[in-house]
Amino acid sequence: MMIQDMVVLGASGDLAARYLLPAVARLHAAGLLDERQTILGIDRDARDDEEFRAAARARLARKAPDLSVRDVQGVTDRLRHRSADVTDPAQLSAALGDLTGPAAVYLALPNTVFGGAVRALAASGLPAGSRLIVEKPFGADLADARQLNATIHRSFAEDDVFRVDHFLAKQTVLNVLGLRFANRVFEPVWNALHIAAVDIVWDENVALKGRAGYYDGAGALKDMTQNHLLQLLALVAMEPPTSTGHRDLRDRKIDALRAVRPPAPDRMGALTRRARYTAGHLDGRAVPAYVDEPGVDPRRDTETFAEMTVFVDNWRWAGVPFRLRTGKALGRARREIVVRFRPVPHQPFPDTAPANRLRMRLDPDTISLDINLNGSGDPFCLERVHLNARFPAQQLPPYAHVLLSVLHGDPTLSIRGDEAEEGWRIVEPVLRAWSAGDVPMLTYPAGSDGP
């Protein structure tokens, strides 16, 4: 059943402006919203409905300028606003008073107030059957994630909890499943016998972009690796699921994550790297050093580049390194999963041929396979050939797909509670080693290839 009422806690914040409102607008433009769909925004701001709608129109003009005036109006007409402290049960109950049926409640809030907001929701008389949507980061560490899960489960069933990761709705990410499990040519060689290494990379060619308030307290490892990149690893490493139902898919993902072995303390220097950018140039524009960005506290020692190599200790992947890398202010955007195959055991050709490589680019959505064929000149000399496929753009952006699945009650594209906890288990040893200074902080100029 599609839920008709959406509640946004923290409706005036950056997250709602950058992701949520544009996603709702895309769903409206595609005709995928119920005509009775309403959106109630709640925050501390003292504003009436029309002021809230005017602010939303201005935000959509900046974030989704291609939308028609009619589509923007179709979304903003659905908006209402109430002022309340979202961690105060009495105030939140009064703000939610008009709800008569189940609602999808979106926590567009700093993760430090998730627990207080969930407790206030539990005491506010939220209608039965309501759903909870939680943005990353889910918790500040493993203990905090466990406590937050316990708080949530006192009021919400796990199938009604949606821990949002829009990476899971990207077309190429979902194509990992089709590539592996619908093609006999790949699955038999998807193991340590034939694969030498896997790289999962999310390099960004943008700097901080005014996000110091969040980013300086998180850093690259928490912001990207703990959630997004480990989710990609789970899809690459998981065993074949019985079906594409949410229970089967998420069971197989958690199996893969539980098998991940983080670097041992005495191997942190060899298997992890951290760095932050210094002054440089991006697209011809001067960029200040990270420590000189507005809102950054240099004493935090926050990294803008994180790399770690882990191993999946199971029968399929024993001994295969999985390298997870992410960074900001790099010279080029590189967002891909690269599967590096082992060389053939014997080559009768005079020149050694490089090993095959499968590259799944996540933006733009492409897949390429590097193979070796006999050359056009000497038939016994090999040439490298690249087989490429590019996919048409998704009709809906990933965030809109995730939101639509929430409204329909399908948790397949969200992260289960135990998955979130496993992500923290994997990165916490690295965070401890970095905090203790066991791994030096490197530097790289903005616009370069990294450290």
Side-chain angles (χ1 to χ4, degrees):
M1 179 187 72
M2 188 172 187
I3 278 188
Q4 295 173 8
D5 293 317
M6 180 183 298
V7 177
V8 183
L9 306 188
S12 298
D14 179 67
L15 192 152
R18 285 196 301 135
Y19 293 118
L20 186 55
L21 268 179
V24 174
R26 300 295 179 191
L27 293 178
H28 174 83
L32 296 173
L33 287 184
D34 190 293
E35 291 182 357
R36 296 163 293 179
Q37 187 84 48
T38 66
I39 304 166
L40 172 62
I42 303 177
D43 52 41
R44 292 177 181 268
D45 290 354
R47 60 174 73 184
D48 59 24
D49 291 351
E50 188 48 47
E51 290 172 323
F52 184 50
R53 290 167 183 157
R57 283 192 290 270
R59 288 178 167 191
L60 285 172
R62 293 193 303 270
K63 302 298 181 181
D66 59 310
L67 287 171
S68 69
V69 173
R70 181 177 179 179
D71 286 328
V72 170
Q73 190 71 31
V75 173
T76 55
D77 283 349
R78 302 170 185 265
L79 299 178
R80 295 179 295 130
H81 183 268
R82 297 291 181 271
S83 179
D85 177 349
V86 299
T87 63
D88 184 298
Q91 291 188 38
L92 191 55
S93 180
L96 296 171
D98 294 340
L99 292 178
T100 57
V105 183
Y106 198 108
L107 303 190
L109 301 165
N111 71 319
T112 52
V113 297
F114 281 175
V118 172
R119 286 188 290 270
L121 283 169
S124 67
L126 195 65
S130 293
R131 297 164 192 160
L132 184 71
I133 306 101
V134 185
E135 260 286 348
K136 65 123 179 151
F138 187 81
D141 51 35
L142 179 56
D144 191 41
R146 285 173 174 166
Q147 179 59 50
L148 185 53
N149 273 332
T151 301
I152 288 172
H153 290 152
R154 281 196 285 270
S155 306
F156 294 88
E158 177 60 36
D159 283 352
D160 289 330
V161 181
F162 296 78
R163 299 169 188 83
V164 172
D165 189 338
H166 64 281
F167 269 44
L168 297 181
K170 287 181 177 291
Q171 179 170 305
T172 308
V173 172
L174 295 176
N175 278 334
V176 173
L177 300 176
L179 180 84
R180 288 192 54 193
F181 303 128
N183 296 285
R184 195 179 185 96
V185 68
F186 284 114
E187 183 56 23
V189 297
W190 208 262
N191 54 56
L193 184 63
H194 300 284
I195 292 176
V198 177
D199 293 340
I200 300 174
V201 180
W202 192 267
D203 285 354
E204 298 181 87
N205 60 345
V206 295
L208 199 55
K209 295 181 68 174
R211 295 181 65 214
Y214 160 71
Y215 194 88
D216 200 42
L221 195 66
K222 288 184 179 181
D223 182 49
M224 291 293 300
T225 308
Q226 185 272 334
N227 38 72
H228 298 322
L229 300 192
L230 284 175
Q231 283 292 310
L232 298 182
L233 179 151
L235 292 173
V236 172
M238 65 189 280
E239 293 298 316
T242 305
S243 73
T244 56
H246 70 87
R247 192 178 306 277
D248 289 332
L249 276 175
R250 298 201 291 181
D251 281 350
R252 298 293 75 79
K253 281 201 298 173
I254 194 63
D255 287 345
L257 290 174
R258 284 175 180 153
V260 172
R261 168 169 49 91
D266 61 348
R267 296 281 289 159
M268 284 292 173
L271 297 179
T272 74
R273 289 195 300 165
R274 61 177 180 144
R276 60 186 174 196
Y277 63 83
T278 56
H281 289 81
L282 286 171
D283 295 328
R285 179 176 56 87
V287 175
Y290 176 78
V291 295
D292 296 326
E293 293 271 21
V296 168
D297 182 353
R299 294 171 298 179
R300 288 183 183 272
D301 215 23
T302 301
E303 81 283 353
T304 61
F305 175 97
E307 183 178 287
M308 62 183 289
T309 299
V310 299
F311 292 86
V312 181
D313 284 345
N314 61 17
W315 190 291
R316 180 184 291 265
W317 295 110
V320 176
F322 284 73
R323 184 177 67 117
L324 313 179
R325 166 186 160 131
T326 184
K328 284 191 176 297
L330 294 164
R332 65 187 178 101
R334 181 184 168 209
R335 301 165 181 179
E336 62 187 6
I337 301 167
V338 183
V339 179
R340 304 179 186 278
F341 290 90
R342 298 188 186 280
V344 295
H346 170 70
Q347 294 190 23
F349 301 96
D351 297 321
T352 300
N356 303 125
R357 181 176 59 186
L358 178 67
R359 187 188 300 270
M360 292 168 275
R361 291 189 176 91
L362 305 177
D363 189 8
D365 294 323
T366 61
I367 290 181
S368 65
L369 178 63
D370 300 342
I371 62 174
N372 305 303
L373 293 177
N374 294 85
S376 56
D378 186 337
F380 297 107
C381 288
L382 298 175
E383 289 184 0
R384 191 73 158 171
V385 176
H386 309 284
L387 306 180
N388 298 295
R390 181 163 186 166
F391 306 103
Q394 289 176 272
Q395 292 183 344
L396 286 175
Y399 217 95
H401 271 295
V402 170
L403 185 57
L404 189 63
S405 69
V406 171
L407 295 176
H408 282 289
D410 179 4
T412 304
L413 298 179
S414 71
I415 297 173
R416 206 166 64 187
D418 50 359
E419 293 181 63
E421 293 180 16
E422 285 299 317
W424 283 116
R425 176 193 66 82
I426 294 165
V427 303
E428 273 202 345
V430 180
L431 289 169
R432 284 196 298 268
W434 290 2
S435 179
D438 296 341
V439 177
M441 177 72 78
L442 306 176
T443 60
Y444 60 97
S448 69
D449 290 334

